[in-house]
Amino acid sequence: MMLFYATYPVSISCLCYFLIIAKEFTDVFYRSKRLHTMSICQLRRDSVDLVSEQDYISNLPRNMKEEILMKLPIKEAVRTSLLSTKWKYAWMSIPNLVFIEDSSRSNLIRLVDQVLSLHRGRILQFKLVIRHVCNEAFNRWMLILSRNGIKNLHIEWGRVEKCCIMHVLPSFIGFKCLRTLKLLKFKLEGISVERLISSCPLLERLELCGIIEYDCLVIRSRNLKWLSIIGKFCDLCLETPNLCFAYINLECYLGDDDNFSLPSKNYKSNILRVLGSLSMIKKLGLYKVFLKYLAIGRIAEALPVPLYRLTEICIDFSLHFPNEVAAAFWLFKCAPKLKVLSSKLDIDHENAPPSALAQSFWEEKGIDSNLFNCLEIVNIYSFLYPKSILKFAKFVLSTAPMLEKLVISEKEIDSLPDADGKELKNKLTSFPRLSKMAKIEFV
């Protein structure tokens, strides 16, 4: 079970003191478990006797009690109320609550209801890993949390094989203090993702994992700084002007490539709808088939504002398709301060045999020779076909005046026959380099 740990530093003396207390606490706790058949009065008298000589536990400061309780599973934290009268209500004020369902649905629902109903003070962090759908209880919990000033919310569907469809009441008003939201393998109904996010005005960090969206996935948030999306969708629109870090993994494109269209008067390319407002972006990761989605329709000539802060790009694209290559190079052009480029080349699209490699693209005048003026590090961590890496590496080495190193994964080279692998290495190391500092490393 994942637990929340303290992040502030402690001195050696404090740590030793804490270890002594933890030992005393462990002795009392496990003795109380052995005596679970005794009456509550007997157990309390026994606990008092155990700490009568040196009553460290009962007299601990409130903040130290909270630290100990937050390191325990929620069930065990509640059971500490049996230790003494001073611990009876201590668990009711812990700000971090973690619930992980194992097998019994009814036990989890009852436990969450009891804890939330008895809890006093603010709930800053709430984590729920659940295996059974419980819409009525879910709506009840969300309502309680929205009134407690929650800042971090983590909800995870604990089954791998499918997503959980959760129905959220349309009357839900949102989380006014929420700063971190993490939804794993959930599909919301009754309220859209757009409305949920817009109802969290202070949201800074958003993670959507395993999401399925057949309509346009719209994310509007002025304060959002960190975004991660993993899932399947047919369209994406980001209106996040202060976003600094974005990682988008499109596992499957649910749209129609041939019939893709938007109203002609308001038509924007996919690139503009996704990247048009990201003027503050520093690091951008585009994975799986997301570049295929960006390449649909016309590629915009320029963004409203160049991505001057963007210094690192991680991207998967296939050199088999000129449209994808054009979209990737257009993105590089919009990031004039790009320093680090990590790429997985020739991702395995369907119906993309090696013979489809767009050889002529590299001879076209459309490729700007000033594309990588600030580029310092290039990482190529995967490729399927030797010809593709030779073309790409040759272009980078000949156009990047500040390049320090080109790092290539040796895994794919080792999978080639010895002669082919040796020939590939020789060609890579023999390419002319615009930068005198440039080195080729095989890792």
Side-chain angles (χ1 to χ4, degrees):
M1 176 181 295
M2 293 182 62
L3 300 175
F4 295 102
Y5 291 89
T7 57
Y8 54 83
V10 295
S11 65
I12 298 298
S13 59
C14 290
L15 181 60
C16 294
Y17 182 61
F18 177 80
L19 291 176
I20 294 172
I21 294 170
K23 183 178 183 302
E24 294 288 337
F25 176 84
T26 304
D27 292 339
V28 175
F29 180 74
Y30 282 102
R31 181 163 177 77
S32 67
K33 291 187 69 175
R34 290 195 300 270
L35 301 176
H36 68 279
T37 57
M38 300 172 62
S39 67
I40 293 177
C41 293
Q42 290 172 323
L43 184 59
R44 285 177 177 171
R45 284 198 299 271
D46 188 78
S47 300
V48 170
D49 292 337
L50 286 172
V51 296
S52 59
E53 296 183 1
Q54 290 182 323
D55 196 0
Y56 294 121
I57 295 178
S58 295
N59 297 313
L60 284 176
R62 178 180 176 181
N63 62 334
M64 189 169 287
K65 287 181 182 179
E66 287 187 356
E67 292 300 323
I68 294 174
L69 290 170
M70 285 191 295
K71 290 174 171 59
L72 293 174
I74 189 67
K75 288 184 180 179
E76 309 301 338
V78 174
R79 289 173 183 169
T80 60
S81 60
L82 301 176
L83 290 174
S84 69
T85 55
K86 292 185 179 181
W87 279 82
K88 184 175 181 179
Y89 304 108
W91 69 270
M92 295 183 182
S93 61
I94 56 177
N96 303 338
L97 301 178
V98 178
F99 301 92
I100 299 181
E101 184 180 23
D102 44 18
S103 58
S104 175
R105 172 190 178 189
S106 58
N107 287 344
L108 178 73
I109 294 177
R110 190 184 309 117
L111 176 63
V112 178
D113 280 336
Q114 289 176 350
V115 171
L116 291 181
S117 63
L118 294 174
H119 194 277
R120 300 173 181 175
R122 298 180 67 186
I123 301 174
L124 301 182
Q125 298 184 10
F126 182 88
K127 178 178 179 180
L128 174 66
V129 180
I130 190 168
R131 296 175 57 84
H132 298 89
V133 180
C134 49
N135 286 316
E136 183 179 348
F138 181 79
N139 283 314
R140 182 167 64 248
W141 299 335
M142 294 302 101
L143 181 61
I144 294 174
L145 293 174
S146 66
R147 296 172 178 174
N148 275 273
I150 186 168
K151 291 186 177 181
N152 302 309
L153 178 60
H154 177 153
I155 301 176
E156 181 175 347
W157 175 240
R159 293 186 177 182
V160 177
E161 64 273 11
K162 60 180 180 179
C163 286
C164 174
I165 299 177
M166 297 300 295
H167 299 272
V168 184
L169 293 176
S171 57
F172 177 71
I173 61 173
F175 303 102
K176 302 305 178 184
C177 298
L178 193 67
R179 296 184 181 274
T180 301
L181 175 61
K182 186 174 184 178
L183 298 177
L184 278 73
K185 291 177 284 187
F186 271 83
K187 188 179 189 317
L188 299 178
E189 288 193 357
I191 180 174
S192 64
V193 175
E194 176 185 0
R195 182 181 166 193
L196 174 63
I197 296 171
S198 62
S199 64
C200 306
L202 301 182
L203 190 65
E204 295 180 354
R205 186 181 181 98
L206 173 65
E207 183 172 350
L208 303 174
C209 181
I211 188 170
I212 298 177
E213 183 59 70
Y214 291 96
D215 295 325
C216 182
L217 178 60
V218 180
I219 297 178
R220 291 190 177 96
S221 177
R222 294 199 60 83
N223 289 318
L224 194 66
K225 294 181 174 61
W226 192 95
L227 171 66
S228 176
I229 302 174
I230 302 175
K232 306 173 183 178
F233 51 84
C234 66
D235 203 0
L236 176 65
C237 180
L238 299 182
E239 297 183 13
T240 51
N242 292 304
L243 192 65
C244 296
F245 306 93
Y247 310 90
I248 306 173
N249 188 327
L250 179 56
E251 296 177 336
C252 179
Y253 175 58
L254 300 178
D256 188 339
D257 297 13
D258 299 327
N259 299 322
F260 180 83
S261 63
L262 290 172
S264 57
K265 291 184 180 180
N266 299 321
Y267 181 84
K268 285 186 178 180
S269 69
N270 289 357
I271 291 178
L272 281 178
R273 285 202 312 284
V274 176
L275 306 177
S277 68
L278 306 186
S279 58
M280 303 294 288
I281 195 73
K282 296 179 180 178
K283 183 174 181 178
L284 182 64
L286 307 177
Y287 305 105
K288 291 289 182 67
V289 298
F290 190 73
L291 201 67
K292 175 184 177 182
Y293 158 78
L294 286 184
I296 294 174
R298 61 186 179 87
I299 297 177
E301 294 183 0
L303 289 175
V305 179
L307 308 178
Y308 288 117
R309 296 175 181 265
L310 182 56
T311 58
E312 184 171 352
I313 294 177
C314 302
I315 190 170
D316 295 349
F317 69 102
S318 175
L319 299 176
H320 288 87
F321 301 101
N323 286 345
E324 283 194 39
V325 178
F329 276 64
W330 181 90
L331 175 60
F332 302 152
K333 186 176 181 179
C334 292
K337 303 296 183 180
L338 182 64
K339 293 184 177 181
V340 180
L341 172 61
S342 300
S343 179
K344 179 179 178 182
L345 300 178
D346 286 332
I347 57 175
D348 194 11
H349 289 336
E350 296 180 0
N351 304 318
S355 59
L357 188 63
Q359 299 278 0
S360 61
F361 181 86
W362 302 96
E363 282 75 34
E364 292 180 0
K365 296 180 180 179
I367 298 182
D368 189 353
S369 59
N370 297 320
L371 202 62
F372 298 132
N373 280 340
C374 296
L375 192 62
E376 296 176 358
I377 300 173
V378 176
N379 300 301
I380 301 177
Y381 55 87
S382 180
F383 60 92
L384 294 179
Y385 309 111
K387 287 185 178 180
S388 62
I389 189 175
L390 289 174
K391 292 283 186 181
F392 187 73
K394 183 178 181 180
F395 178 80
V396 171
L397 289 170
S398 62
T399 58
M402 304 297 292
L403 188 68
E404 295 178 3
K405 59 182 178 179
L406 174 64
V407 182
I408 300 175
S409 171
E410 206 165 28
K411 179 180 178 181
E412 284 75 16
I413 297 179
D414 290 341
S415 65
L416 300 173
D418 292 342
D420 293 343
K422 186 176 181 180
E423 180 184 2
L424 180 61
K425 284 188 176 181
N426 290 335
K427 286 185 177 180
L428 286 170
T429 55
S430 65
F431 285 147
R433 308 170 194 183
L434 185 60
S435 171
K436 296 180 180 180
M437 301 178 292
K439 297 180 181 180
I440 297 180
E441 297 181 5
F442 299 94
V443 297

